[in-house]
Amino acid sequence: MSNTRIYRYLDSNNQIGLDPEGYLVKQDQWSKPVAEMLADDEGLSLTEAHWEIIEVVRDFYLRYEMAPSMRPLVKAVKNALGEEKGKSIYLMALFPGSPAKRIARLAGLPKPTNCL
């Protein structure tokens, strides 16, 4: 779960707090515009392909009450969007670095438990 200590604010009105790892302090503040601000903060521009994955991860969270680490993420995407998109290479191309952590952050979810 996200650290509840505010490290910095995402917005100029100091309303949307982020923890030291860049996750939302208050998950209920997430919205598509907030996701866009988070992506912009990371130097990422969200396309329809990004939104598909974000929606899969948010659905996963609603079902299992946890953000998926990489292996469950790949499986969830494969089940929801098909074989071609359900590959780690595809996810790494869309979300460079650590896809599971980055997607969870953009989806307004806590850090996946098995991610360092």
Side-chain angles (χ1 to χ4, degrees):
M1 185 181 276
S2 271
N3 185 343
T4 57
R5 187 173 58 104
I6 294 175
Y7 177 71
R8 67 184 176 97
Y9 290 96
L10 181 63
D11 62 327
S12 59
N13 297 330
N14 293 340
Q15 298 294 315
I16 303 168
L18 300 178
D19 73 7
E21 293 185 85
Y23 293 87
L24 291 177
V25 172
K26 295 180 183 175
Q27 291 178 14
D28 63 348
Q29 290 184 314
W30 186 87
S31 65
K32 285 190 174 190
V34 169
E36 293 284 355
M37 286 191 295
L38 287 164
D40 188 51
D41 191 55
E42 294 189 15
L44 190 64
S45 179
L46 298 179
T47 65
E48 190 58 41
H50 292 95
W51 283 112
E52 281 183 323
I53 306 300
I54 289 170
E55 289 173 20
V56 168
V57 170
R58 287 188 60 83
D59 288 343
F60 185 100
Y61 185 80
L62 287 174
R63 188 170 316 167
Y64 301 107
E65 297 180 359
M66 61 184 280
S69 58
M70 192 61 177
R71 225 175 246 175
L73 170 63
V74 170
K75 187 173 183 178
V77 171
K78 181 179 178 181
N79 290 340
L81 303 175
E83 187 80 33
E84 190 174 305
K85 294 180 180 179
K87 295 183 180 186
S88 57
I89 299 283
Y90 178 78
L91 296 173
M92 286 190 279
L94 284 175
F95 302 95
S98 176
K101 286 173 36 178
R102 192 168 224 187
I103 296 165
R105 201 168 26 249
L106 295 173
L109 304 175
K111 180 179 174 182
T113 52
N114 292 337
C115 291
L116 301 174

